[in-house]
Amino acid sequence: MHLHIVSFNVPYPADYGGVIDVFYRIKTLYEAGVKVHLHCYTYGRAVALELERYCVEVNYYKRETTLKHALQRRPYIVDSRCSNELLERLMDDNYPILLEGIHCCWLLEQLRQKRTPFADEQKHRIIMVRAHNVEHEYYQRLAAVEKRFLRRCYLKNDARKLQRYEPILQEADAVLAVTEADAEHFRQLGCKQVLLMPSSHHHNTLQCKIGKGDYALYQADLSVAENIAAVKFLITHVFAKTPYRFVIAGRNPGKALYQMASKYERVTLVANPTDEYMDRMIADAQVNIMVTQQPTGLKLKLLHALYCGRHCLVNQHMVAGTKLGPLCSIADDADHLIEQLKKLMTTDFTEQDISKRRQILANSYSNENNARKLIDLVTHLTHN
């Protein structure tokens, strides 16, 4: 089987949510024998030779990030990824196409309008879209926590554009949703076929430690407004009111976070840890605490913590539309977070806890199962 995958960014290194999903999907499809033809839009990331290990070809296209693309009717994340070079390359054959995100759906517009040299061989080109989020809802919530005026205006404006543009997904043969809640949204939108396919990730087996750790950990990209707000909430309303050690770790924290953390002796801020060090912190923590105001999408850092950490304490938005709720302790306000934290900090993590995780994660969040779903879908679409 040959498959074109069009990625919104270069999916290596696999160091944040969306590209983690793309990279490990490519890797698992390669291991299943699929011949992947990868196309990447580039901005801020270099050519990645590692991708050539898993793809029969890797092509790069510059994303045009000038202001004019923000002034068009299409959403900026779409209009800045219009590439005639990529379109022409996709028209050279009739292999199925997977577009990673609504970001790449200009190609869906164009390919549904154009007659290719293969039109007589097969009347319909198979085009699927991986929906990493309900994108306009994601932008609306980003805008709600954004402090910078111009950035907030941009997010609100593009949220409206994305909502208007979203019906383009009806032109896809299938939409691959990350959570059941997202899948239901796309069914209501009228998409032809919606398949639930949780995010791919870099774990194939559980590596959790039994016993106890002596600190709680919050980890995220600390340059993102939503995560900054979460850290401030946790420090002020949870960490400051309990006697435990807390570690906050992630990319590019600003001066304000350093200043806030420095006020508390028990709070440690770790900036830009290596992947190995982050994995060790997640594994050694007694509690991995995660809160979000975004109920859309699947939070890959939660999957990461479930595969290699001990107790997970989350709010309801972290597990919305997933099957991960039974594996976590859930609390939605400061008082309940403190209550659950006190309980978990004194509770051993056991073999029984690991067994429960293994059963749920193996059934619903296996990379191999996801790859098989995608292969079966392409086979079904090809013969119908």
Side-chain angles (χ1 to χ4, degrees), residues 32 72 114 117 130 150 161 168 173 245 273 302 334 350 368:
Q72 305 304 313
K114 290 182 179 292
R130 172 33 151 202
L150 290 177
K161 289 183 181 181
I168 189 63
D173 294 286
R245 281 184 59 218
L302 174 55
T350 66
E368 289 184 8

Side-chain angles (χ1 to χ4, degrees), residues 215-219 239 245-249 266-268 270 281:
Y215 62 91
L217 172 69
Y218 175 85
Q219 51 96 7
F239 298 171
R245 281 184 59 218
F246 294 96
V247 177
I248 298 160
R266 297 186 308 277
V267 177
T268 302
V270 180
M281 285 190 288

Side-chain angles (χ1 to χ4, degrees), residues 83-338:
S83 170
N84 284 307
E85 179 188 0
L86 172 51
L87 177 61
E88 292 300 321
R89 186 166 277 142
L90 291 175
M91 291 176 64
D92 284 343
D93 58 57
N94 207 44
Y95 300 144
I97 301 169
L98 175 61
L99 303 175
E100 292 285 352
I102 199 170
H103 314 56
C104 304
C105 280
W106 176 81
L107 294 162
L108 179 58
E109 291 180 49
Q110 301 302 311
L111 288 166
R112 286 295 183 244
Q113 295 170 5
K114 290 182 179 292
R115 181 178 177 85
T116 74
F118 299 87
D120 293 331
E121 295 178 21
Q122 184 172 333
K123 294 180 181 179
H124 189 76
R125 181 76 177 266
I126 296 170
I127 307 175
M128 304 163 289
V129 178
R130 172 33 151 202
H132 294 268
N133 278 300
V134 177
E135 210 68 44
H136 69 271
E137 293 181 358
Y138 177 66
Y139 270 59
Q140 287 166 356
R141 291 186 175 89
L142 288 179
V145 297
E146 180 57 60
K147 302 299 183 187
R148 294 166 293 179
F149 176 74
L150 290 177
R151 175 72 176 169
R152 186 166 66 251
C153 290
Y154 156 70
L155 290 169
K156 287 182 176 179
N157 188 46
D158 245 39
R160 289 190 289 269
K161 289 183 181 181
L162 282 161
Q163 190 165 14
R164 287 198 305 266
Y165 190 72
E166 191 180 44
I168 189 63
L169 297 176
Q170 297 167 0
E171 296 293 327
D173 294 286
V175 174
L176 313 180
V178 172
T179 69
E180 184 52 51
D182 288 4
E184 183 57 28
H185 172 86
F186 296 120
R187 293 185 193 109
Q188 293 295 322
L189 183 65
C191 296
K192 294 175 185 174
Q193 184 167 345
V194 180
L195 180 70
L196 175 61
M197 194 173 76
S199 296
S200 299
H201 51 88
H202 64 281
H203 295 288
N204 291 316
T205 59
L206 268 71
Q207 299 172 319
C208 310
K209 295 181 178 180
I210 61 172
K212 284 184 188 173
D214 65 352
Y215 62 91
L217 172 69
Y218 175 85
Q219 51 96 7
D221 184 339
L222 299 177
S223 66
V224 174
E226 182 196 2
N227 298 335
I228 294 169
V231 170
K232 292 179 177 179
F233 165 78
L234 288 172
I235 290 178
T236 304
H237 299 288
V238 180
F239 298 171
K241 298 180 180 180
T242 56
Y244 310 113
R245 281 184 59 218
F246 294 96
V247 177
I248 298 160
R251 292 195 297 180
N252 303 325
K255 184 184 295 185
L257 288 187
Y258 278 107
Q259 291 173 342
M260 177 172 278
S262 68
K263 296 177 182 178
Y264 301 92
E265 185 178 342
R266 297 186 308 277
V267 177
T268 302
L269 180 59
V270 180
N272 301 308
T274 64
D275 291 345
E276 293 76 13
Y277 189 34
M278 181 69 86
D279 287 348
R280 192 157 67 248
M281 285 190 288
I282 292 170
D284 290 341
Q286 173 66 0
V287 178
N288 280 273
I289 184 167
M290 290 158 277
V291 295
T292 182
Q293 296 305 309
Q294 290 276 9
T296 58
L298 174 63
K299 308 302 184 290
L300 277 164
K301 65 182 178 183
L302 174 55
L303 267 184
H304 189 25
L306 288 169
Y307 268 92
C308 64
R310 294 189 179 100
H311 300 293
C312 291
L313 174 57
V314 305
N315 65 349
Q316 187 63 50
H317 284 339
M318 282 296 302
V319 293
T322 76
K323 299 179 181 179
L324 301 175
L327 302 180
C328 304
S329 295
I330 300 173
D332 281 320
D333 58 52
D335 289 342
H336 287 102
L337 283 166
I338 291 170

Side-chain angles (χ1 to χ4, degrees), residues 1-5 24-37 53-56 95 367-368 371-372 374-376 378-379:
M1 180 182 291
H2 289 258
L3 176 68
H4 288 286
I5 294 182
Y24 287 101
R25 177 162 32 262
I26 291 169
K27 185 173 183 290
T28 310
L29 288 170
Y30 162 78
E31 291 166 351
V34 177
K35 298 184 184 304
V36 174
H37 303 254
R53 293 179 57 188
Y54 309 110
C55 305
V56 295
Y95 300 144
N367 288 338
E368 289 184 8
R372 177 48 53 191
L374 181 54
I375 292 167
D376 289 347
V378 173
T379 302

